[in-house]
Every structure is written in structure tokens, then in C-alpha cells.
Amino acid sequence: MSIYENLNPQQKEAVCQTEGPLLILAGAGSGKTRVLTHRIAYLIEEKGVNPWNIMAITFTNKAAQEMKERVDQIVGFGSESVWVTTFHSTCVRILRRYIDRIGFDNRFTIYDADDQKSLMKDICKRLQIDTKLYKERALLAQISHAKDQLVSPEEFELNSQGDYSKMRVAEVYKEYQTQLRRNNALDFDDLIMKTVELFQSCPEVLESYQERFRYIMVDEYQDTNLAQFQFVSLLASKYQNLCVVGDDDQSIYKFRGANIENILGFERVFSNTKVIRLEQNYRSTKNILQAANEVIQNNAQRKPKTLWTDNEEGNKVHFRHFLSGFEEAEYVVGDIAQKHREGICSYRDCAVLYRTNAQSRLFEEKFLMANIPYRLVGGVNFYARKEIKDLLSYLKTVDNAKDDLAVRRIINIPKRGIGATTLLRVQEYATEQDISFYDALKEAEKIPKLGRAAVKIQPFVTMIQSLRSEQRSFSVSELLDDVIERTGYVQDLIAEDTDESRARIENIDELITKATTYDKESENPTLGGFLEEVALVADIDTVDPNQDHVLLMTLHSAKGLEFSQVYLAGMEDGIFPSYMTIGSEDPGDMEEERRLCYVGITRAMKDLTMTSVQQRMIRGQAQYNKVSRFIYELPREVVDMGHKIEKKEIKTEVPRNNTYAQMREAFRAKAFQPRQFEVKKADKLSYEVGDTVRHVKFGVGIVKNIVEGGKDYEVTVDFDQVGVKKMFASFAKLKKI
């Protein structure tokens, strides 16, 4: 049986359409990865295309790896020649070969977000920028936006004439790029921008890659920005065999520069475009899909399509409204615990999604109390941890000594007694001589007023020179081991002997494992290659699908993933959609939020629970929000509304300051009588054996047994936190969740 017989008619059509521009509008869960991999196989096996001439671009390393593995399984021999990679990895490979054509050294360093912040801090000091007026993060965001639009510092300055605030940003942008060039470094935005610059200034380089990549496929095309669009357009301009796959309903990265017009206007840019819609969903139940379709149809700026499925009708979408965020988290954690106990799902089948990272705290606390394993996506990235950054900075210095940022980070790690004054004099000398910071360190004895401090610098320079000489003969893991041994980094942590130091040692062990794996699995392992791989890793790439833990993440992080059980928390106006969106004059902002809601709904395969609260603590203040407008857009026939929570009336008393009034009240009051406790047996309990209940003190538990006595019910509950407890129903006041 042919591998193409398993495809539905639309998928088969997309696979067989190989020539000319092709737009595949692939709805959520419609099997787009399957289409792309089978299309690669079809080009090689049926059309006789050389694998060398095929390129597939994705947005995450995880997606690229998955596609590679699938192509290997289908095609077998020759599949390794297909270039399956991310935008950034593609550009790095091109720049490593040809960036010297536009004035950079081929051994450039890639700066991550932390490196960018450190550099921006230095620049603000140097230019005497008031960081209260011009936040470092905001400056970096403006520079990033300019690069996404392919706007150079000179162009930015020209466009800023007459606007003092923009002129200051232009000044910072110019200095930022100058320092990057001095350090022989690029940030993530540079990787795309410099590749486009290379193609435009060196037509022969562009032509060589046009000949190489005659068939180009781009996944998640709705998330591309102008720079990425320009890069793809230049590559595909000769043969026009460009296939883009995307879903305009899942365009959610406007804040990162993504331009939805790239997919909506594709047919205008590339004439004779063939459009194929993939509308059959293989992921979700009918009810979940109906909910998603109804919500997204409220958007005007979209290509018309309606997802359908042959899957079962499934459970209704659950909506639950609570009094507080505390109760919301308690319910979600309790529900996951119950489903796990009943064998409905594993922990790894569950995901809690929210609009902002700040919403994770209550869930984390509840998961810890319930002893449920969880993983927070979007917390401190492994490679951003201090000990990891320190050791990587040593490796960066060995690889590219021009990287001033890396050198300055490690000059005093471990402590070498080199003071701030010494470092300032070294920096001044480097600036005067127009050399790198490391080259200035090598000439320490020539620096005026350095005196004895030059002696302290010498051992550091000697060590780095020695490590650089080892670079060619040592593997990456051996070099890393040597750095750890020579610096005494781990020895210092062992001597510290705290929980924190032990955790840091574990992280270092993990870095050694990563280096060893890289040495074994890479075809041509180099130190530069290792640093490149580490720099390009995203937080979502580190998620291990085999580990049994609940995932907590923002809706943006959840893109491209799927889970059996999904909990969409914080469905309130002001949270989701945000106040900023509600107050925006641009209707496109609300449409972007609705697309984000659509992405959240379509992550669910079998069960979707959406929650909101009456009162939420934001920045220490109680905030009262309406239920999200997106909830009202759901079709009522597919929503299970659950129990209603009645508002409790708060009785307010007028303070009595009047002495006469107080005396009168005292005389009116009845004489003290001991409180008479009377137990009234309820006719019926609101819960049964097997139900999840909540106790005001003991928390969430499962009812194990109910014994009817003469005066009251004796209830046995297995609580998540305190174990099995027996209690009388009238005193326990258990509430069914």
C-alpha cells in the first residue's frame, strides 16, 4: 500500500502540488506536519528531486527535529541531505560561511536576552540615558522592532528627525550595533537581518543558495515578520517553488513583529498561487471544535474556513466560575488529582494554560501542597542560570575573545582580587587603543597606573591562552571539564555546602551531559557549533514529553502542542482579553486576543475546562472583573456551566462613636446565655462516595465512605494533604467541587 493512500483528498492534493507557489491553509490539528513530510517524500521518490535541493523551515527546534525524524522514517536513504531547520539556524549556517563579506568575523557570538540586557545597561551608562524615562527593555524592544522591519540605525535616525525621544532611541540603536560589531556578536534579530543584507549586497551568494534550494517549504507562515518574509522571498524568487503552510486563525505573535498580512496577502505577492484548505481535524472532539469555530468566526480579518472532525462528540466544554483565584486553583488541582486517581489520564496529559506568567503562582502552590509533579514552562531558562552562564562565558571567551561581555563576566569568577578601578582602566585603555577588552588584558603591563593589579590579571590571561590552544585537540566536553577544574568552580560550590550550591552542581552536571551528548551526536562537533546550539534553544524545546508531570504555561507557549486535558484559567475581561486590548482603538488587537483564545481551545483533545473568578488579587489589590467576552461567544449547547456560585452579602455596621448609643445598646442586649449546640441531621447530602469535596481546614479530598447514624452522617474522606479523616457531616460542612 502506498504511503499516500492514508492521506485525505485535500492532504493528497497538497502533497502532489509541487510546482509554483502554494498556500496551504491548515487548521489546528489538521495534519500539516504529515502533509509537509509526505510532500518531501513525494518530491524525492515520485518527482526525482535531489534531497539536496529541498529546504523546510519551522519555528522551533522541537518541530524541526520531529519533521526530520518523520522524513527519515518515510524516505530513508538520502533524507539527511534535506535541510530541515529553523529560521535562525538556517541564517546562522549561511552567515558562518559568508558574513565576512559584510565586515564580520565568521566566528561571531550569538547574544541571548540576558547578554542583550547587560550590553544595553552599559550603553545607557555610557550615553547617560535616564533609565527611568527610557527603560532598557523598552529600548531593546524598539530596536528589535526596527530590525524586524529591516530598518538600519541610519534609516531609524533619518526617520526620527524632529522627535527628541526617537532621536535618543536612534542614538542608542547606533551605539548598540557598534558595540555588537566590536564584540563580533549578533543578536537574534541580526541573524535574519544580516542574512537579508548579505543576499542583497552579494548577488552571487544569493544565487548559489537559490540554486541549492529549488523547493522551499515554510511552516507556521502566519508567524513570520517582514525580515523573514523578505528572506524567504529572496530565496524563492528564481524558481518560485515556494510552499507555505499556516493558519491565519493562529497568528498570535504580533508583539514579536509577526505580520498576519504575510499569509493574508500571499496570493497578491506571488501570482498564480494555488490555495488548498485543510479543514478536517484529527485532534479534538466535535464539541471542542464547535466551540473553537464559533469563537473565531467573530473575527473579520481572516480567511473563511470551518474545522470539522470524524471524532466522537465527546464531553461538553466545562465552564466554572469561582469566588477567588485561590478556589480556582484548588478546583483545577483537585480535578487533575481525581482524574489521575481514577485512571482517566496521566499527569503529562494535563496542561494548565493562562494569559500571563503571573497567574502561575497559585497553581504552583496548590500542586506542591497536593504533591502533584508539575513543570513550569517559561520560568528561568536553564541556560540563563548564573552557574551555566558563567561556564558558557568561559567557553565563549575561548571561542571568540572579542566578546567583551563574556570576558568581563568571568574576569573575577572565581574571585581574583581584580577591583572595579582596575577594570575601568583596562576598558579605557581598550577604547583608546581601539582593541578588545581581552587584548587589553594581554597588554596589562603597558596600562598606566595599573601597578600591581597587572600581576593579578596575568594568571587569567595565561589560563585563557592555554584553553584556546587546547580547543583544536579537545572535545567540547573535555574543554568544559578542563574549565571547571582550572577555575575550581565546582570545588567552591562543594565547600559552600548549601541546598542552593548543591542544586547548582546538579545544573553543571546537566551541562556536562549536554556537551557529551553534543560530542557524540554531532557530525562535526566544534566549540562554536555547541555554543550556537545552546544559544538557539527555546524554553519549549527542553520539555520532555516522557516525564509524567502537569505542564503550566502561557497560551503563547502552548502553540503547536496538544493535550488530552486542558484547563484554560483566568477567563475574565481585564485578564483575557487584557485591559490594554479592551481599551485599544485598533480592532486588530481584540482579534489577536480572540485568535489566542482559539489557540487555547484547540490545544484540547478530549476535555476542556475554562475557569473564571469573581475577585482576583492583582499587584496586592482586589480586582473585580466580568466573565470574559470570549465565554459568551461559546455556543451554549456545547457548554456545561457547572454549579453557580452565589454572591455572599457582606453586612456592614456603622461604627458607634456615640457613648449614649452604646449604653442604650448594652441595656437592650440579653443577658449572657451559654450557646446551645444542636445537631440537625440533613435529609440528604450534596455529595456521594467518590465525589471530590473541600474542607475549610483540610483542603481537597475524595469521599471514601458514608455511614448513616441516628443523629448525623459519619463521612470518611481521603484528603490530599492530611490523609484519611472521619467526621460528622453537620460539623464538617464539606462542599462538593
Side-chain angles (χ1 to χ4, degrees):
M1 188 177 81
S2 167
I3 58 167
Y4 310 108
E5 286 178 23
N6 294 324
L7 303 171
N8 68 39
Q10 289 76 28
Q11 288 177 332
K12 195 177 281 186
E13 187 185 2
V15 164
C16 298
Q17 181 68 39
T18 59
E19 307 305 305
L22 173 66
L23 171 61
I24 303 173
L25 291 170
S30 60
K32 61 183 175 70
T33 307
R34 192 182 199 193
V35 167
L36 283 174
T37 50
H38 280 71
R39 195 170 187 273
I40 293 169
Y42 187 82
L43 281 166
I44 297 168
E45 294 176 346
E46 305 297 325
K47 303 293 286 187
V49 175
N50 189 332
W52 176 261
N53 296 135
I54 302 170
M55 170 195 256
I57 302 176
T58 68
F59 266 81
T60 66
N61 295 312
K62 193 175 180 185
Q65 190 58 40
E66 187 187 335
M67 198 180 290
K68 271 182 192 169
E69 287 168 3
R70 290 208 206 176
V71 170
D72 281 344
Q73 287 169 6
I74 299 171
V75 178
F77 182 74
S79 64
E80 67 280 355
S81 301
V82 179
W83 207 343
V84 184
T85 181
T86 64
F87 268 107
H88 290 109
S89 295
T90 301
C91 291
V92 168
R93 285 173 76 173
I94 295 168
L95 293 173
R96 285 281 180 223
R97 266 190 94 179
Y98 294 109
I99 199 171
D100 56 331
R101 303 279 184 99
I102 53 172
F104 276 78
D105 189 313
N106 296 75
R107 297 176 74 87
F108 58 84
T109 300
I110 302 166
Y111 276 6
D112 61 17
D114 280 349
D115 296 329
Q116 287 177 269
K117 283 176 201 165
S118 300
L119 183 60
M120 184 54 72
K121 204 172 271 183
D122 290 346
I123 288 166
C124 288
K125 274 184 191 172
R126 190 176 298 126
L127 298 180
Q128 296 180 324
I129 299 289
D130 185 352
T131 51
K132 289 178 182 175
L133 279 176
Y134 303 91
K135 303 283 186 197
E136 289 149 3
R137 274 175 67 182
L139 289 167
L140 283 167
Q142 288 192 67
I143 291 169
S144 177
H145 181 68
K147 290 181 179 181
D148 287 346
Q149 300 298 311
L150 298 173
V151 176
S152 67
E154 294 73 27
E155 216 178 322
F156 193 96
E157 187 178 28
L158 205 62
N159 298 337
S160 307
Q161 297 296 327
D163 187 327
Y164 177 77
S165 181
K166 280 191 174 178
M167 285 293 289
R168 288 295 272 166
V169 177
E171 190 183 359
V172 171
Y173 183 13
K174 194 178 257 184
E175 183 61 22
Y176 177 77
Q177 289 305 107
T178 302
Q179 290 305 315
L180 280 175
R181 188 176 280 265
R182 274 181 65 89
N183 295 354
N184 195 36
L186 302 178
D187 63 18
F188 284 109
D189 298 312
D190 278 329
L191 295 176
I192 314 284
M193 191 178 181
K194 293 295 175 190
T195 309
V196 172
E197 187 187 322
L198 172 70
F199 283 170
Q200 289 173 337
S201 56
C202 303
E204 70 281 5
V205 174
L206 172 62
E207 195 178 355
S208 71
Y209 281 105
Q210 287 173 336
E211 286 298 327
R212 166 84 195 264
F213 303 119
R214 298 187 181 198
Y215 293 86
I216 301 167
M217 282 160 269
V218 184
D219 195 10
E220 305 287 4
Y221 191 70
Q222 75 280 349
D223 294 332
T224 53
N225 57 34
L226 181 67
Q228 289 161 335
F229 165 77
Q230 193 66 26
F231 167 74
V232 169
S233 300
L234 285 166
L235 269 182
S237 59
K238 187 169 184 179
Y239 289 99
Q240 297 274 307
N241 296 325
L242 174 63
C243 165
V244 299
V245 184
D247 181 6
D248 50 303
D249 290 335
Q250 295 186 70
S251 178
I252 59 172
Y253 293 114
K254 187 180 176 182
F255 68 99
R256 285 188 197 164
N259 186 357
I260 194 171
E261 280 301 317
N262 288 351
I263 191 165
L264 294 176
F266 185 82
E267 295 147 273
R268 289 195 300 273
V269 178
F270 294 91
S271 54
N272 305 317
T273 296
K274 174 81 175 170
V275 181
I276 297 170
R277 287 173 170 80
L278 304 182
E279 294 175 303
Q280 185 175 358
N281 177 285
Y282 295 92
R283 177 187 297 158
S284 307
T285 61
K286 283 187 170 73
N287 281 334
I288 291 170
L289 272 194
Q290 193 180 337
N293 283 330
E294 288 284 333
V295 169
I296 201 63
Q297 277 168 18
N298 288 280
N299 274 6
Q301 200 182 15
R302 64 186 293 264
K303 300 256 187 190
K305 60 184 142 340
T306 303
L307 293 185
W308 61 275
T309 185
D310 283 334
N311 293 343
E312 62 180 359
E313 190 170 289
N315 295 332
K316 286 187 175 184
V317 174
H318 314 291
F319 174 66
R320 301 288 183 266
H321 186 62
F322 301 96
L323 292 171
S324 67
F326 182 87
E327 287 192 0
E328 176 187 51
E330 198 165 59
Y331 171 80
V332 169
V333 173
D335 198 51
I336 290 171
Q338 184 179 347
K339 284 174 178 173
H340 185 263
R341 276 193 298 267
E342 292 173 0
I344 295 170
C345 62
S346 303
Y347 289 132
R348 66 171 164 266
D349 298 324
C350 306
V352 181
L353 311 180
Y354 35 78
R355 181 65 182 83
T356 61
N357 276 309
Q359 291 169 255
S360 70
R361 183 184 63 83
L362 282 172
F363 291 104
E364 286 190 81
E365 286 176 6
K366 290 294 173 188
F367 278 121
L368 284 167
M369 287 166 73
N371 202 25
I372 291 174
Y374 71 92
R375 164 77 194 275
L376 184 67
V377 178
V380 180
N381 187 304
F382 176 78
Y383 295 106
R385 290 174 178 151
K386 183 187 179 304
E387 60 279 8
I388 305 302
K389 288 281 289 185
D390 289 345
L391 292 173
L392 288 176
S393 291
Y394 267 103
L395 295 180
K396 282 180 182 180
T397 303
V398 172
D399 187 57
N400 171 27
K402 288 181 182 176
D403 188 352
D404 288 1
L405 217 60
V407 179
R408 283 163 60 183
R409 182 182 180 97
I410 59 170
I411 186 74
N412 252 336
I413 294 175
K415 294 275 189 286
R416 296 187 174 91
I418 303 169
T421 308
T422 302
L423 294 177
L424 185 64
R425 283 172 182 163
V426 173
Q427 185 60 65
E428 285 171 351
Y429 180 80
T431 307
E432 283 169 17
Q433 301 296 316
D434 196 24
I435 57 176
S436 70
F437 190 79
Y438 180 71
D439 285 338
L441 289 173
K442 289 193 317 192
E443 298 177 13
E445 70 281 353
K446 295 180 185 176
I447 300 173
K449 298 179 185 176
L450 213 56
R452 292 181 183 176
V455 178
K456 295 175 182 176
I457 292 170
Q458 193 54 48
F460 172 77
V461 172
T462 305
M463 178 180 64
I464 297 296
Q465 290 297 96
S466 174
L467 287 165
R468 295 193 82 184
S469 65
E470 292 172 355
Q471 188 181 347
R472 289 184 181 177
S473 54
F474 278 36
S475 66
V476 177
S477 54
E478 287 170 338
L479 201 60
L480 180 59
D481 283 338
D482 205 18
V483 166
I484 292 167
E485 194 176 325
R486 285 175 184 245
T487 57
Y489 201 103
V490 170
Q491 289 303 316
D492 287 353
L493 290 172
I494 292 168
E496 200 177 304
D497 195 29
T498 61
D499 287 344
E500 190 185 346
S501 67
R502 283 189 283 274
R504 288 186 169 183
I505 292 169
E506 285 173 10
N507 289 336
I508 291 169
D509 289 342
E510 184 58 34
L511 182 64
I512 294 167
T513 304
K514 167 69 186 171
T516 308
T517 308
Y518 171 80
D519 284 334
K520 286 178 183 174
E521 294 181 358
S522 180
E523 287 179 25
N524 181 29
T526 62
L527 178 58
F530 174 72
L531 291 169
E532 183 183 300
E533 192 170 297
V534 164
L536 295 175
V537 78
D539 200 38
I540 198 69
D541 297 328
T542 62
V543 173
D544 185 354
N546 299 316
Q547 285 197 0
D548 196 25
H549 47 215
V550 180
L551 282 181
L552 277 67
M553 65 181 89
T554 64
L555 285 149
H556 284 101
S557 299
K559 177 91 182 307
L561 304 177
E562 58 182 29
F563 306 92
S564 169
Q565 315 287 321
V566 169
Y567 298 84
L568 244 172
M571 296 301 297
E572 303 125 44
D573 272 6
I575 303 292
F576 188 33
S578 66
Y579 277 127
M580 197 179 288
T581 303
I582 293 168
S584 172
E585 293 178 4
D586 181 1
D589 290 343
M590 186 58 76
E591 294 209 351
E592 175 107 350
E593 286 286 282
R594 190 173 283 109
R595 289 196 291 269
L596 192 56
C597 182
Y598 174 81
V599 166
I601 294 170
T602 54
R603 297 312 93 199
M605 298 163 73
K606 290 183 179 176
D607 221 50
L608 171 66
T609 302
M610 303 171 89
T611 60
S612 68
V613 306
Q614 200 168 297
Q615 176 197 312
R616 191 179 293 279
M617 294 297 286
I618 308 283
R619 298 183 193 91
Q621 300 290 317
Q623 192 169 292
Y624 297 86
N625 296 319
K626 295 178 182 175
V627 171
S628 171
R629 62 196 65 198
F630 300 145
I631 295 294
Y632 294 110
E633 293 173 357
L634 296 169
R636 288 289 166 267
E637 64 270 20
V638 302
V639 181
D640 152 35
M641 299 302 289
H643 59 278
K644 290 183 180 177
I645 299 204
E646 294 179 10
K647 291 184 183 179
K648 293 180 180 177
E649 287 188 17
I650 301 165
K651 293 180 181 177
T652 55
E653 290 188 7
V654 179
R656 299 186 178 89
N657 298 322
N658 186 299
T659 309
Y660 174 73
Q662 289 179 16
M663 286 172 67
R664 191 171 64 181
E665 285 293 318
F667 279 110
R668 280 182 183 173
K670 291 179 180 177
F672 172 76
Q673 291 180 346
R675 189 176 171 188
Q676 301 296 312
F677 289 94
E678 187 180 341
V679 176
K680 286 187 179 177
K681 183 181 173 183
D683 296 332
K684 190 184 175 186
L685 296 177
S686 62
Y687 46 85
E688 301 173 350
V689 174
D691 284 343
T692 303
V693 293
R694 178 164 50 82
H695 187 273
V696 67
K697 183 179 176 184
F698 302 134
V700 177
I702 302 290
V703 178
K704 292 296 183 186
N705 195 22
I706 300 174
V707 178
E708 188 172 352
K711 289 187 176 181
D712 203 357
Y713 297 95
E714 187 187 77
V715 185
T716 306
V717 182
D718 184 3
F719 290 103
D720 293 337
Q721 299 170 37
V722 295
V724 178
K725 297 277 183 186
K726 285 186 180 180
M727 55 197 75
F728 289 114
S730 55
F731 288 104
K733 293 185 170 46
L734 298 167
K735 286 187 180 177
K736 184 181 173 181
I737 300 177

